[in-house]
């Protein structure tokens, strides 16, 4: 029974609302709401009422304004960074060691023999441009076919406006090959860099140079002639200010072409073997040897060996700072066996990187000099970022539109891998073959002079193309977790003069099983890699604004200005529903009134008395709610009601009691 | 008659805008009214609660809530100016920094002969007398008289002295005589003082030229330092007199220094370098100085795409006394920054390839009131003598130079000239060295106030360098490399370069990730206010409306009540004094108390409804509470419920 009663009450409450007119409703709301302002409006005297009215309005608008700001702040997805520094047991970084020189010269000599003879002869001609020297006559004839694939030329700039191009092996010194005016123009116009008449973009690729040139210029310059295919006129001269640079560049292009035809197994065999290179290894107190290193073939540096890569085995932890608990290595780079023209710097190349990542030695690698002991203190500098929408980074590279060619090494995504893959993809697309320095996509071969005669031209124009670089930069994303190994590098001479003899003796004996000393100061390197006293510095991001933050800030604002809460909002919503209800009732009664007018016009009848209607509405049993509750409009009864104006005038009465109080005195 | 319109107006004003009294006639009633009607939660409990203990607890709780709010809000306010740090990483095309390269030796020794031969001769003599060092065996040792005849101006100016022990007995280098020295002794290396080692100490004496009794003695534990320092003083004197154009010619040209250059995979030459004359390092060359309006950038990291230069360090042409190490000095800096080579340069070894990997970090601090830094340096009262953007280093140097000009009358050689000043030399300013040393000592001890005036810059760029060295050229490539480089240099093969004269330098970006560390205000006003709101709401369900209420009730209303009381008291006292009108005084009192106008008017409102039962409620608390408590203990809730409900309905 009570349930039914409640139900009926609730229903009536829903239908009826706390008032019958908007004014009533508003007064009721102001009186009963939990927000702080409105109550004051009705409870105070007339002047204060006005003040409170404006105050409430002001506070309400303030609340909405500040809410707007807060929601905006939330949607901007700010992050806060927290920094932590200290020492903890951490995974020891993967250490990649390579020789700066990719192959043993003794092993590749048969491949590069012709090339070396060519460059020696060319240098002879360049450096001693006197026809009297005829040392090369005795040697077997040079392979000029190889030379003409990518020739070196000498540019005579005695006449600034009209430089003369001299072919080095072309019918001796006197034969000046005056090239077409087109070529002369480009060389003269842009002396510093690759003058390229085919692509306009190349012009901008060269560093811009102030126009004024000093009077004292060098008279001869060396340039590499690159043609789109052999014998064509579409050629560029890659101009070098230094002959040394030109020779190195030329040699790299030529040797790349030759070596790219050698199968991988053979190339690995020609490189430095682990047992020859890694002479001693000590990790913490535990001995290790070359077998603890993973071999990887790196196109720049030949065979590289990675310690603690974590591919097959668990990564090693280091729980103590200091050199005693780090990795100690003794390497031999056998400098005597370097390829003379390929790498002019001698030393070991090493890099610290994360487990399961590919070592990009050209970017992040450092040198270690022969005959020295290099100590490297490591601080792991980590940056942990939140992904989208907080910052534009990628967690594992799966959302990057570039095919990662380094995934064949089973390594994780990195931006360097992405950029290189991007370049190689462009190379394959444009030149039709892959560059030797980067991994190959499926079904593509490395470029070489035989199959792709114009590859060097294609590669060199692609390499200096700003547009292609920008495409790659735009399409690659950095990883969210960025780990850098900050190194404090110090060096000392090693071995000392006093200990030199016995150290070389032991190491030679262990490696070659002979009592002859096969090592020397020019090849031996000692490395100490260890964690510093503080081994990590982690900057981690966390969302500055969470939904909890937003809610508490919204609540704070609402509470601060008006003492409101979510319930107040619901109250307000209720009032709106009520007012809608009133509107509906009004509209219905208005419609009814119209209809009735028409009916009345036809059947004039006596309207029901007030008492009748009051009785009809008061017996519903909810007067307790408010004393002023009056019968609702004639929504249910089928009989025609009185015209609304009458009711209004009746009902105004109780409000009028308030009226004089609120209006004026 | 005249009063009538005025009265009318006041009456009208009174009618239209009646002056109402406070909400309650007395303070206690006002408080009661406030507690029952306030929007905050605690107060109501105090009034509504029955029983002293309960009421006391509620008073305590309310007060502690108020206390907590005040405390927490004070904390919030104090932490308002705190900054949070954010780190962003951006992968992009990066502007390449300016790279300034200097030879460690400032001027070619061969071309400096005209200026330095006298000084060098003197220095050699000093070395011979003190240490028995002579360069060539064939050299004949000259007598002391001979030197005096050659006019050793240098020693007259700054005598080199050798101390026998700490007995202040010195051997004058010039005369070879022993004499006692007056004045204070400054030890450049203070550790030697306590060592008790009776080894000879060498030093020099600087005297105030105007007042020869005032001398300062600078001593060094090692002759190497003493001779070098002494030489440097004279050297600066000489150099200060040479005009800049001549000095630039005396130093290395770009062709001398730079053998090859390669940037971003393309060849570059000396036109990409800007000459910059450094007073102590001679001609330095800045790559990518941005002077022609363009700043080069790299879109690929890695050693191939950075700057690669081979430097020619002509070791044979080094000044033996000024510099004792061989190589080059480089500094990586922003285009707007002044390269302080002497302070933060990195030294480059010869016969080696130095590979410098860079990592770019940009930092930005918030300026006042968050931290004490300066955005542009415009608010620092030190004139920037360098033609570059502000940095702390620039400020300190400028400040010192200014102090130098002010107190010594001339400018120090190592720093730029302020307007209207000229460099010190002892022809014009015989006193400057003493002055300089004194001033420098003050500067180091922070007595000049430079360290206090200068603030650090709010934003700065930093290139973290990882330097590693490899042997270069390798033994097998040495031969052809040197031949080709010789050809590059002179296009003649008659003089092959030596590898110890060459240095290979590679400067490149390790990666193109730019780290940007910036400070942001941790709090905005919006957040502060919502935190306030949170605190107020949590402890007392209070809002600004409550605060206004409090102001209204506690300040305006209570004040007016108190004022009225006082006024009535005064009136009563006045009336009492008059005695004859005692009846009227009580009338007045009653009138104020009841405030009948107020009551009448408020009748139909809720206010009056609330106020009406008050006098009836009043006797309730007057009954002894313990009785009530004990009685009502069991039925407390049923009894209290209608009571609170009743209050709630009002």
């Amino acid at each position: 029974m009570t349930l039914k009663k409640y139900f009926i009450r609730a229903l009536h409450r829903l239908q009826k609302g706390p008032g019958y007119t908007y004014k009533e409703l508003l007064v009721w709301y102001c009186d009963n709401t939990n927000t702080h302002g409105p109550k004051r409006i009705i409870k105070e005297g007339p002047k204060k009422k006005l003040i409170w009215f404006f105050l409430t309005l002001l506070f309400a608008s303030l609340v909405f304004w500040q809410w707007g700001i807060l929601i905006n702040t939330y949607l901007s997805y700010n992050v806060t960074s927290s920094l932590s520094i200290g020492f903890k047991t951490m995974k020891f970084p993967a250490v990649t060691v390579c020789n700066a020189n990719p192959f043993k010269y003794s092993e590749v000599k048969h491949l590069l023999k012709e090339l070396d003879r060519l460059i020696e002869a060319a240098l002879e001609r360049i450096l001693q441009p006197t026809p009297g020297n005829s040392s090369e006559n005795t040697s077997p004839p040079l392979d000029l076919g190889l030379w003409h694939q990518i020739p070196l030329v000498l540019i005579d700039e005695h006449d600034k406006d009209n430089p003369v191009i001299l072919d080095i092996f072309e019918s001796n010194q006197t034969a000046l090959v005056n090239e077409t005016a087109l070529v002369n123009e480009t060389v003269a116009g842009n002396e510093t860099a690759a003058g390229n008449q085919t692509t306009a973009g190349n012009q901008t690729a060269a560093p811009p140079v102030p126009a004024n040139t000093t009077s004292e210029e060098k008279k001869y310059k060396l340039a590499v002639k690159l043609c789109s295919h052999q014998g064509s006129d579409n050629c560029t001269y890659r101009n070098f200010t230094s002959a040394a640079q030109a020779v190195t560049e030329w040699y790299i292009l030529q040797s790349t072409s030759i070596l790219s035809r050698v199968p991988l197994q053979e190339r690995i065999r020609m490189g430095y073997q682990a047992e020859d290179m890694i002479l001693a290894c000590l990790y913490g107190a535990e001995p290790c040897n070359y077998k603890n290193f993973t071999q990887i073939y790196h196109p720049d540096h030949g065979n590289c060996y990675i310690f603690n890569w974590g591919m097959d085995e668990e990564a090693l932890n280091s729980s103590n700072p200091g050199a005693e608990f780090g990795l100690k290595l003794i390497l031999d780079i056998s400098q005597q066996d370097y390829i003379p023209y390929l790498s002019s710097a001698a030393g070991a190349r090493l890099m610290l990187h994360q487990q399961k990542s590919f070592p990009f030695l050209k970017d992040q690698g450092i040198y270690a000099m022969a005959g020295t002991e290099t100590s490297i203190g490591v601080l792991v500098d980590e940056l942990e970022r939140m992904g989208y929408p907080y910052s534009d980074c990628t967690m594992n590279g799966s959302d990057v539109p570039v095919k990662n060619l380094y995934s064949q090494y089973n390594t994780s995504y990195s931006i360097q891998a992405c950029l290189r893959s991007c370049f190689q993809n462009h190379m394959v697309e444009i030149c039709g073959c892959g560059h030797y320095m980067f991994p190959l996509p499926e079904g593509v071969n490395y470029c070489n002079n035989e199959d792709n005669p114009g590859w060097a031209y294609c590669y060199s124009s692609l390499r200096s193309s700003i547009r292609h670089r920008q495409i790659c930069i735009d399409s690659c994303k950095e990883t969210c977790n960025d780990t850098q190994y900050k190194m404090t590098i110090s060096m000392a001479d090693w071995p000392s003069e006093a200990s030199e003899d016995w150290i070389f003796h032991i190491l030679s004996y262990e490696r070659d099983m002979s009592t002859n000393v096969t090592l020397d100061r020019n090849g031996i390197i000692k490395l100490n890699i260890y964690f510093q006293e503080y081994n990590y510095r982690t900057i981690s991001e966390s969302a500055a604004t969470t939904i909890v933050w937003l809610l508490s800030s919204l609540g704070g604002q609402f509470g601060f200005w008006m003492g409101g809460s979510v319930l107040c909002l619901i109250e307000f919503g209720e009032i709106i529903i009520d007012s809608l209800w009133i509107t509906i009732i009004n509209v219905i009664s208005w419609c009814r009134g119209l209809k009735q007018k028409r009916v009345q016009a036809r059947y004039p009848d006596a309207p029901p008395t007030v008492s009748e209607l009051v009785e009809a509405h008061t017996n519903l049993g909810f007067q307790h709610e408010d004393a002023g509750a009056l019968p609702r409009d004639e929504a249910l009864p089928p009989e025609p009601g009185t015209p609304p104006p009458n009711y209004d005038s009746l009902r105004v009465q109780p409000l009028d009691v308030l009226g004089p109080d609120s209006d004026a005195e | 008659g005249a009063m009538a319109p005025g009265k009318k107006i006041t009456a009208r004003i009174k009618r239209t805008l009646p002056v109402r009294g406070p909400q309650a006639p007395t303070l206690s009633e006002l408080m009661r009214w406030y507690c029952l009607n306030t929007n905050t939660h605690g107060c109501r409990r105090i009034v509504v609660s029955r029983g002293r203990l309960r009421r006391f607890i509620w008073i305590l709780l309310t007060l502690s809530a108020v206390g907590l709010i005040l405390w927490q809000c004070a904390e919030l306010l104090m932490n308002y100016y705190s900054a949070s740090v954010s780190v962003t990483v951006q992968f992009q095309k990066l502007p390449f920094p300016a790279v300034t390269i200097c030879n460690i030796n400032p001027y070619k020794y061969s071309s400096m002969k005209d200026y330095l031969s006298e000084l060098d001769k003197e220095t050699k003599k000093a070395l011979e007398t003190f240490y028995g060092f002579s360069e060539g065996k064939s050299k004949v040792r000259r007598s002391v008289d001979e030197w005096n005849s050659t006019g050793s101006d240098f020693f007259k100016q700054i005598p080199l002295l050798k101390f026998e022990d700490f007995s202040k007995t010195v051997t004058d280098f010039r005369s070879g005589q022993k004499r006692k020295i007056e004045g204070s002794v400054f030890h450049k290396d203070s550790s030697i003082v306590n060592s008790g080692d009776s080894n000879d100490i060498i030093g020099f004496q600087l005297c105030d030229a105007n007042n020869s009794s005032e001398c300062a003695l600078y001593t060094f534990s090692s002759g190497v330092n003493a001779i070098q320092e002494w030489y440097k003083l004279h050297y600066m004197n000489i150099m200060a007199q040479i005009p800049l154009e001549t000095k630039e010619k005396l130093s290395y040209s770009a062709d001398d220094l730079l053998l090859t250059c390669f940037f971003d995979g393309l060849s570059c030459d000396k036109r990409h370098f800007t000459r910059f004359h450094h007073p102590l390092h001679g001609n330095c060359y800045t790559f990518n100085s941005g002077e022609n309006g363009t700043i080069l950038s790299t879109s690929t990291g890695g050693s191939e795409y950075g700057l690669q230069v081979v430097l020619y360090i002509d070791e044979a042409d080094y000044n033996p006394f000024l510099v004792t190490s061989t190589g080059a000095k480089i500094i990586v800096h922003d285009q707007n920054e002044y390269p302080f080579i002497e302070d933060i340069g990195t030294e480059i070894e010869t016969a080696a390839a130095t590979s410098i990997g860079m990592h770019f970090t940009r930092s930005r601090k918030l300026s006042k009131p968050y931290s004490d830094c300066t955005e542009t340096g415009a608010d620092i009262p030190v004139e920037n003598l360098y033609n570059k953007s502000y940095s702390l280093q620039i400020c300190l140097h400028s400040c010192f130079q200014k102090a130098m000009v002010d107190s010594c009358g001339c400018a120090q050689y190592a720093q730029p000239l302020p307007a209207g000043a000229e460099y010190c030399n002892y022809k014009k300013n015989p006193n400057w060295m003493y002055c300089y040393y004194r001033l420098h000592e003050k500067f180091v001890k922070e007595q000049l106030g430079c360290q206090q005036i200068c603030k650090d810059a709010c934003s700065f760029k930093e290139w973290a360098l990882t330097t590693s060295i490899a042997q270069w050229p390798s033994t097998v490539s040495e031969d052809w490399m040197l031949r080709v480089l010789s050809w590059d240099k002179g296009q003649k093969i008659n003089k092959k370069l030596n590898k110890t004269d060459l240095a290979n330098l590679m400067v490149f970006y390790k990666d193109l990730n730019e780290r940007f560390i910036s400070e942001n205000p941790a709090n905005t006003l919006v957040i502060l206010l919502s935190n306030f709101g949170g605190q107020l709401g949590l402890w007392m369900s209070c809002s600004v409306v409550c605060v206004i209420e409090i102001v209204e009730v506690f300040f305006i209303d209570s004040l007016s009540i108190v004022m009225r009381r006082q006024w009535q008291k005064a009136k009563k006292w006045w009336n009492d004094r008059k005695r004859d009108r005692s009846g009227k005084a009580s009338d007045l009192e009653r009138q104020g108390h009841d405030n009948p106008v107020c009551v009448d008017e408020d009748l139909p409102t809720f206010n009056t409804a609330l106020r009406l039962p008050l006098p009836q409620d009043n006797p309730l608390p007057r009954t002894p509470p313990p009785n009530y408590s004990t009685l009502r203990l069991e039925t407390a809730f049923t009894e209290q419920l209608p009571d609170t409900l009743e209050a709630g309905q009002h």
Side-chain angles (χ1 to χ4, degrees), chain A residues 339-584:
Chain A
I339 303 171
Y341 293 98
L342 198 58
S343 40
S344 56
R349 203 93 158 93
L350 77 150
M351 178 178 164
L352 310 184
H353 54 106
Q354 267 184 303
Q355 271 76 31
K356 292 180 183 168
S357 68
F358 190 84
F360 292 99
L361 289 143
K362 282 257 159 143
D363 292 30
Q364 315 254 320
I366 58 164
Y367 279 112
M369 196 150 95
T372 60
E373 171 172 1
T374 305
S375 293
I376 301 168
V378 180
L379 169 82
V380 184
D381 191 11
E382 279 176 304
L383 182 65
E384 289 165 5
R385 284 188 294 162
M386 300 182 66
Y388 186 80
Y390 294 97
S391 46
D392 187 25
C393 61
T394 175
M395 284 292 176
N396 53 15
S398 55
D399 51 340
V400 173
V402 176
K403 190 170 169 281
N404 188 2
L405 299 176
Y406 286 86
S407 55
Q408 60 185 267
Y409 291 99
N410 242 338
T411 51
S412 55
Y413 172 88
S414 69
I415 186 124
Q416 280 91 3
C418 179
L419 288 173
R420 279 166 175 75
S421 303
C422 180
F423 181 85
Q424 184 75 313
N425 290 334
H426 280 297
M427 179 97 186
V428 169
E429 213 173 281
I430 294 166
C431 309
C433 57
H435 192 266
Y436 170 70
M437 291 296 166
F438 313 115
L440 278 179
E442 268 174 55
V444 184
N445 286 325
Y446 282 129
C447 297
N448 63 66
N449 285 342
E450 254 82 89
D451 303 335
N452 319 85
W455 79 273
Y457 170 80
C458 180
Y459 164 68
S460 123
S461 62
L462 187 67
R463 189 168 107 144
S464 47
S465 155
I466 295 282
R467 193 174 62 86
H468 280 107
R469 283 195 203 177
Q470 197 56 48
I471 289 171
C472 287
I473 286 181
D474 292 341
S475 50
C476 286
K477 278 186 199 169
E478 68 263 50
T479 48
C480 290
N481 288 348
D482 178 31
T483 303
Q484 289 175 7
Y485 293 92
K486 301 251 174 208
M487 294 175 277
T488 310
I489 303 168
S490 57
M491 283 162 61
D493 263 10
W494 185 86
S496 66
E497 268 177 43
S499 63
E500 197 174 74
D501 290 339
W502 71 266
I503 285 177
F504 287 147
H505 187 87
I506 288 184
L507 290 174
S508 310
Y509 178 78
E510 278 176 354
R511 187 175 70 171
D512 304 320
M513 294 297 162
S514 76
T515 47
N516 297 338
V517 172
T518 52
L519 296 166
D520 63 359
R521 186 166 273 281
N522 280 330
I524 201 150
I525 292 169
K526 191 168 193 279
L527 286 174
N528 300 322
I529 301 163
Y530 53 88
F531 279 141
Q532 288 175 358
E533 196 171 343
Y534 289 104
N535 71 343
Y536 73 93
R537 187 177 75 180
T538 305
I539 299 169
S540 52
E541 282 186 348
S542 54
T545 52
T546 56
I547 196 82
V548 176
W549 173 88
L550 181 69
L551 286 180
S552 71
S553 297
L554 291 181
Q557 283 294 336
F558 198 16
F560 183 67
W561 296 112
M562 299 185 79
S565 67
V566 174
L567 291 176
C568 298
L569 290 182
I570 295 171
E571 273 176 6
F572 194 73
E574 194 190 4
I575 289 304
I576 288 178
I577 291 168
D578 281 342
S579 65
L580 273 178
W581 193 245
I582 289 171
T583 316
I584 290 165

Side-chain angles (χ1 to χ4, degrees), chain B residues 426-441:
Chain B
Y426 48 31
K427 287 217 177 94
K428 281 183 184 156
N429 321 84
N431 202 20
W432 81 268
M433 280 191 224
Y434 176 74
C435 180
Y436 165 74
Y437 264 80
R438 269 290 155 87
L439 205 66
H440 194 260
E441 198 192 335

Side-chain angles (χ1 to χ4, degrees), chain A residues 36 43 48 205 209 213-214 238 241-243 335 340 344 346 362 367 383 469 478 484 557 559-560 563 661 665, chain B residues 15 89 260 265-267 270-272 299 303 359 468 471 474-475 477 480 488 526 530 543-544 552 605 607:
Chain A
H36 289 176
K43 287 205 171 176
K48 281 187 176 171
V209 160
T213 50
T214 46
R238 279 203 73 196
T241 45
S242 149
Q335 211 185 128
S344 56
K362 282 257 159 143
Y367 279 112
L383 182 65
R469 283 195 203 177
E478 68 263 50
Q484 289 175 7
Q557 283 294 336
F560 183 67
D661 180 67
E665 260 263 335
Chain B
R15 207 174 342 109
V89 174
T260 77
L266 297 168
S267 230
K270 64 177 179 189
R271 283 166 293 177
H272 294 96
S299 48
S303 51
H359 194 83
S468 61
Q471 190 186 330
S474 64
T475 41
S477 64
W480 77 265
D488 276 340
V526 178
S530 38
S543 68
V544 170
E552 184 193 6
T605 64
N607 284 357

Side-chain angles (χ1 to χ4, degrees), chain B residues 563-633:
Chain B
M563 291 287 279
R564 197 165 59 197
R565 255 309 140 70
Q566 293 300 322
W567 172 245
Q568 281 163 3
K569 263 188 187 165
K571 225 165 192 185
K572 199 182 172 188
W573 175 77
W574 182 254
N575 289 345
D576 282 352
R577 243 183 86 177
K578 291 210 168 178
R579 299 239 168 182
D580 51 340
R581 277 199 250 166
S582 56
K584 275 184 185 176
S586 59
D587 267 353
L588 265 169
E589 197 178 35
R590 205 184 303 136
Q591 198 182 3
H593 236 293
D594 294 342
N595 206 355
V597 193
C598 174
V599 172
D600 274 346
E601 277 167 350
D602 280 343
L603 249 177
T605 64
F606 284 97
N607 284 357
T608 43
L610 273 171
R611 212 172 302 153
L612 278 172
L614 282 180
Q616 293 162 358
D617 285 348
N618 268 341
L620 271 175
R622 257 183 252 149
T623 48
N627 286 346
Y628 275 93
S629 294
T630 46
L631 269 171
R632 264 191 231 117
L633 212 61

Side-chain angles (χ1 to χ4, degrees), chain B residues 58-116:
Chain B
W58 272 113
I59 288 173
L60 213 67
L61 285 175
T62 313
L63 284 180
S64 53
V66 170
L68 275 171
I69 286 173
L70 290 178
W71 173 46
Q72 301 275 316
C73 288
E75 290 270 297
L76 284 176
L77 266 182
M78 287 201 294
N79 291 330
Y80 182 66
Y81 286 119
S82 61
S84 68
V85 173
S86 75
V87 180
T88 53
V89 174
Q90 213 174 1
F91 182 83
Q92 57 179 21
K93 189 173 164 178
L94 284 181
F96 201 77
V99 180
T100 298
I101 305 167
C102 310
N103 198 329
I104 287 185
N105 185 46
Y107 302 101
K108 290 178 191 169
Y109 193 52
S110 51
S111 50
M112 286 297 287
K113 278 246 151 67
D114 299 343
Y115 302 97
L116 296 177

